[in-house]
Amino acid sequence: MLQLAPGQRIHFIGIGGAGLSAIARILLERGYAVSGSDLRGSALTAALAENGARVYIGHDARYVQGADIVLATSAAPPDHVEIEAAEAQAIPIFKRQAFMAAILRDCDTIAVAGTHGKTTTTSMIIHILQRAGKDPSFIVGGIMANTDRNAGVGKGPSFVIEADEYDNMFHGLYPNLAVITNVEHDHPDFFKTPAQTRAAFQTFVNTMAPDGPLVACADDAETLSIAEARQADEGNVTTYGIHNAAAEWRATDLCFDSETVKARISHHGLPRAELRLSVPGRHNVLNALAALVAASKRGVSPEESAQALASFRATARRFEIRGERDGLIVVDDYAHHPTEIRVNIEAARLRYPEHQIWAIWQPHTYSRVQQFWSGFLKAFEGADRVLVTPIYAAREEPLEGITGIALVKAISAYGAVAYTPTFDDAVETLRHSARAPAVVLIFSAGDANLIADRFLAGGS
């Protein structure tokens, strides 16, 4: 078992990633020496360097010399130059799953899992606990607008963490309290079938403390099934939802306007709080309800949670309004799955009913596009215009027939769609064709958020 001790130097391969950068920050704040490398610099790597980490741009065998432990991103291949160097020097190498148990040892771990919504729900729980004076430690997969951070060490006993299912990272968390927002097949490069996805979430639940509460979304059939299995074995399951009348906690009477979403929160049919959110969409009401229920398990009243959530602001790249130019509101969103795209277009319609909806989509990974092809074709039905960029390959090689152009030809049956081979082409199309009032939703888990920067700056 991995043992961490003060004075150790931990080296990160891929220190700029959302997950590893957060762990690096936790270790820095706990007094460890941190070094790391990545292909390119970013705001995350710059912040870590400013706070004392030794950050290298590029990869080199020399960078691991003197490290006590190496933590490697899942994207690093076995023949990575720094992995081979660490092996040659007998330096232990770990991935996040094995590393997290050591980070979380002796903490009251609150883990938020789900194919969709886990970043926002985790951020909401952190925000509630901070406002309630609980001062949790935390790791979240995005920069929280309320704190400007993705990780931090608090003085309270709780550690709130986003439970990432990729590479089964969440199997190393062993939570005392867990939330599952939904379970849907994703990451087809790792989970080959929906059954494998479900099995991974079931294992996550099985790693919970025996008496630990599970907070589960009753509106999602797969999540409810997993919750019912735990209820039969261990008990201590709490359900929430909007549509499922059998849910213990419910949000009802949803009301949408140009600035807020309102809902009534009830517990076993009895009114408990009035919810008011600045983040749009039905899905965010569910996220907020999950956060409220989880916080209630740690002594925060529903009324206090609802009051805290009124000041919650969107996490970076989760329906993040980047600005407005010429009557076009530009929104950056991390959505890269058909369900995420669909619900964000719906959220834009609810918030801006008089606006034209433009969707700019950077497809993410060939395997995901291939696996969810039919879902992507229908995901944009709620948009007025769609622009598609080339596929962001990430860690993958191209697949024959899976291209941005092929997607455009297939999507064209559902509405107005065009292929923009460069980001500058997308910017020019917006300038010449989009008319106010309009909302431009940029869907990207890659680098297409640069389109927002260029359009808002007025240059190509």
Side-chain angles (χ1 to χ4, degrees):
M1 180 180 293
L2 170 64
Q3 296 288 338
L4 294 175
Q8 288 176 323
R9 177 184 154 214
I10 316 299
H11 181 77
F12 292 74
I13 301 174
I15 195 170
L20 294 198
S21 67
I23 296 172
R25 177 165 292 283
I26 294 293
L27 291 177
L28 276 173
E29 294 188 11
R30 287 182 175 178
Y32 289 81
V34 170
S35 64
S37 60
D38 215 309
L39 286 174
R40 58 187 62 87
S42 67
L44 290 173
T45 58
L48 288 171
E50 186 177 337
N51 284 273
R54 192 187 314 163
V55 177
Y56 304 99
I57 304 305
H59 297 292
D60 193 292
R62 295 172 297 171
Y63 299 158
V64 304
Q65 188 171 351
D68 296 292
I69 295 170
V70 168
L71 178 56
T73 172
S74 298
D79 62 351
H80 188 284
V81 62
E82 293 178 27
I83 289 179
E84 290 186 335
E87 290 173 339
Q89 298 173 56
I91 301 171
I93 303 168
F94 295 91
K95 290 187 178 181
R96 281 189 298 163
Q97 179 184 337
F99 203 87
M100 290 312 303
I103 290 278
L104 298 170
R105 190 169 292 123
D106 300 325
C107 294
D108 168 41
T109 302
I110 302 172
V112 181
T115 307
H116 320 295
K118 57 183 172 287
T119 299
T120 298
T121 304
T122 306
S123 300
M124 287 176 165
I125 295 172
I126 296 163
H127 184 67
I128 291 170
L129 295 182
Q130 288 177 333
R131 288 302 178 99
K134 303 287 186 180
D135 196 19
S137 300
F138 62 92
I139 287 178
V140 65
I143 303 298
M144 294 175 58
N146 293 92
T147 65
D148 231 10
R149 307 180 73 186
N150 65 340
V153 174
K155 297 178 180 178
S158 294
F159 197 124
V160 187
I161 184 166
E162 179 175 338
D164 185 5
E165 70 272 20
Y166 189 76
D167 205 19
N168 286 330
M169 185 283 283
F170 61 173
H171 291 170
L173 302 182
Y174 307 100
N176 303 96
L177 163 62
V179 177
I180 300 182
T181 59
N182 44 63
V183 178
E184 188 174 8
H185 187 207
D186 194 10
H187 307 296
D189 60 324
F190 185 73
F191 299 118
K192 302 303 181 184
T193 66
Q196 288 182 1
T197 301
R198 180 198 160 88
F201 277 87
Q202 184 64 68
T203 299
F204 165 70
V205 170
N206 292 344
T207 66
M208 292 181 64
D211 58 346
L214 172 65
V215 177
C217 181
D219 288 356
D220 181 70
E222 287 287 359
T223 302
L224 185 59
S225 176
I226 291 171
E228 288 172 344
R230 179 169 176 83
Q231 182 67 51
D233 292 340
E234 301 285 351
N236 208 0
V237 171
T238 301
T239 57
Y240 68 94
I242 294 174
H243 304 296
N244 191 332
E248 184 177 337
W249 289 85
R250 292 192 68 199
T252 58
D253 301 314
L254 277 62
C255 179
F256 304 88
D257 61 35
S258 61
E259 295 184 356
T260 59
V261 182
K262 301 175 185 175
R264 291 192 173 99
I265 306 301
S266 62
H267 182 220
H268 290 304
L270 299 175
R272 295 299 306 271
E274 298 285 333
L275 187 66
R276 182 186 180 96
L277 301 173
S278 64
V279 289
R282 290 185 179 87
H283 63 294
N284 276 321
V285 174
L286 274 176
N287 293 337
L289 182 55
L292 180 149
V293 175
S296 75
K297 304 295 183 183
R298 292 299 180 261
V300 183
S301 72
E303 296 84 357
E304 191 175 2
S305 290
Q307 184 177 4
L309 288 168
S311 62
F312 176 81
R313 293 185 289 143
T315 306
R317 306 197 72 181
R318 273 69 179 180
F319 211 97
E320 180 187 7
I321 297 177
R322 294 290 307 280
E324 183 174 349
R325 182 180 176 87
D326 301 327
L328 276 64
I329 300 167
V330 180
V331 177
D332 179 17
D333 197 275
Y334 196 70
H336 51 281
H337 186 282
T339 298
E340 295 165 353
I341 290 169
R342 177 180 52 78
V343 299
N344 276 283
I345 291 174
E346 178 192 75
R349 282 283 180 212
L350 289 168
R351 174 144 294 188
Y352 305 105
E354 306 301 322
H355 289 55
Q356 192 177 49
I357 304 295
W358 281 66
I360 302 178
W361 175 39
Q362 182 184 44
H364 189 264
T365 70
Y366 297 97
S367 61
R368 180 179 281 110
V369 172
Q370 182 183 57
Q371 180 69 41
F372 306 122
W373 182 274
S374 60
F376 281 126
L377 302 191
K378 297 180 180 180
F380 296 91
E381 288 178 331
D384 297 297
R385 292 288 303 275
V386 181
L387 304 180
V388 180
T389 76
I391 296 171
Y392 187 84
R395 52 195 169 268
E396 295 184 345
E397 295 297 322
L399 295 174
E400 185 176 355
I402 306 300
T403 66
I405 294 174
L407 282 163
V408 166
K409 291 179 179 177
I411 295 173
S412 62
Y414 297 91
V417 59
Y419 181 66
T420 50
T422 70
F423 293 167
D424 289 345
D425 291 327
V427 170
E428 288 303 310
T429 301
L430 286 177
R431 285 187 187 148
H432 293 115
S433 302
R435 296 292 178 266
V439 178
V440 180
L441 302 171
I442 301 174
F443 295 121
S444 169
D447 57 358
N449 54 325
L450 293 173
I451 294 171
D453 297 335
R454 296 178 190 181
F455 177 75
L456 293 169
S460 297

